[in-house]
Amino acid sequence: MSLNVKIYGQKRTGTNMTECVLNQFDNVSVAVNKDLSGNDAWKHGPAKRLPGIDKYVFCVKNPAAWLVSNKKHDARIDAQPGWQEPRWKTLPEWAAREAQYLRCAYHWPDAIVVDSVRWIQTAKDCAERLQSFLGVPAPATLEFPNNAMSMNGCASGAKFDKSFYTEQKYLSEITEKEWSEMFTALHSDKHLTQMWGNWFNQVRR
């Protein structure tokens, strides 16, 4: 019997990478932008419970890494005339979406939070945690993407510098104003404080 898994997460939080990993498990069917009946259920939209879904995976990324990822993505949009896409880069907007996801993730018994930066830093540990959550055997060899991701859980072929995350290089691109906005955002909801409060205190020492 197939295990039906639904992914939720903001843009630039590793939803495609997570889909790539989930697709390697036998008997796991991943619902991305549709529910099991073919109705729209956008992975970046508000989380809601769906008929027939057995497990929910919520993808998150710390607000600094998320903000820098969006800046880089917006730069690519600006470099290509005619490419129209809503911008997702303000911290209050991030906080509202993230809080809704975390409220669901923390209170739904069939949900798990996947931190995409930790995927990159400690892939093996994260894979074992995911396997335990799914309750299905892991592939003999679980492969993590070495390239940047495109849609549909596939590697795009673009170069991906893991050290940007493992060495936290992205932190140097955050301005003092953004750090201040981040502090305010993280204290706007208890779930955000629970998820990211310790991380913030550690990187701002």
Side-chain angles (χ1 to χ4, degrees):
M1 180 180 292
S2 177
L3 185 74
N4 296 311
V5 180
K6 176 73 175 103
I7 294 175
Y8 283 114
Q10 301 200 50
K11 293 182 178 182
R12 320 274 90 76
T13 58
T15 55
N16 291 326
M17 178 175 65
T18 301
E19 181 185 357
C20 177
V21 172
L22 287 171
N23 281 335
Q24 297 176 56
F25 284 84
D26 290 335
N27 300 318
V28 170
S29 178
V30 184
V32 184
N33 293 316
K34 301 284 186 180
D35 65 15
L36 299 184
S37 299
N39 300 310
D40 289 341
W42 194 32
K43 64 181 178 180
H44 300 311
K48 57 184 179 181
R49 298 191 66 84
L50 301 171
I53 296 297
D54 302 301
K55 302 281 187 178
Y56 295 84
V57 176
F58 288 88
C59 301
V60 300
K61 181 184 281 186
N62 73 63
W66 178 86
L67 191 60
V68 172
S69 292
N70 274 276
K71 289 179 181 180
K72 293 180 179 295
H73 184 72
D74 286 352
R76 291 195 293 271
I77 295 176
D78 293 337
Q80 299 187 42
W83 184 0
Q84 299 295 322
E85 183 177 327
R87 306 305 175 93
W88 286 34
K89 60 182 181 181
T90 72
L91 286 165
E93 291 175 331
W94 169 86
R97 288 187 293 265
E98 189 85 344
Q100 197 267 335
Y101 287 143
L102 291 175
R103 279 193 293 271
C104 296
Y106 287 154
H107 296 292
W108 294 358
D110 48 5
I112 191 173
V113 174
V114 169
D115 180 347
S116 63
V117 173
R118 287 191 178 274
W119 266 131
I120 298 166
Q121 294 172 332
T122 58
K124 182 179 178 181
D125 291 344
C126 290
E128 291 175 350
R129 179 169 169 263
L130 184 60
Q131 178 191 354
S132 176
F133 167 72
L134 295 173
V136 298
T141 302
L142 190 59
E143 297 182 1
F144 286 80
N146 290 317
N147 295 324
M149 301 301 297
S150 60
M151 294 179 65
N152 303 320
C154 300
S156 68
K159 184 178 179 181
F160 177 63
D161 180 11
K162 288 186 178 181
S163 69
F164 189 71
Y165 293 102
T166 57
E167 299 175 17
Q168 300 188 102
K169 295 177 182 179
Y170 57 88
L171 295 177
S172 65
E173 300 188 24
I174 303 296
T175 67
E176 285 302 318
K177 180 176 182 292
E178 288 167 341
W179 282 120
S180 178
E181 292 173 348
M182 204 178 299
F183 178 85
T184 300
L186 294 182
H187 287 80
S188 66
D189 185 279
K190 66 179 182 181
H191 299 90
L192 295 174
T193 307
Q194 180 180 345
M195 181 70 202
W196 298 118
N198 287 339
W199 164 84
F200 184 90
N201 291 336
Q202 289 172 2
V203 298
R204 291 296 285 166
R205 284 176 180 171

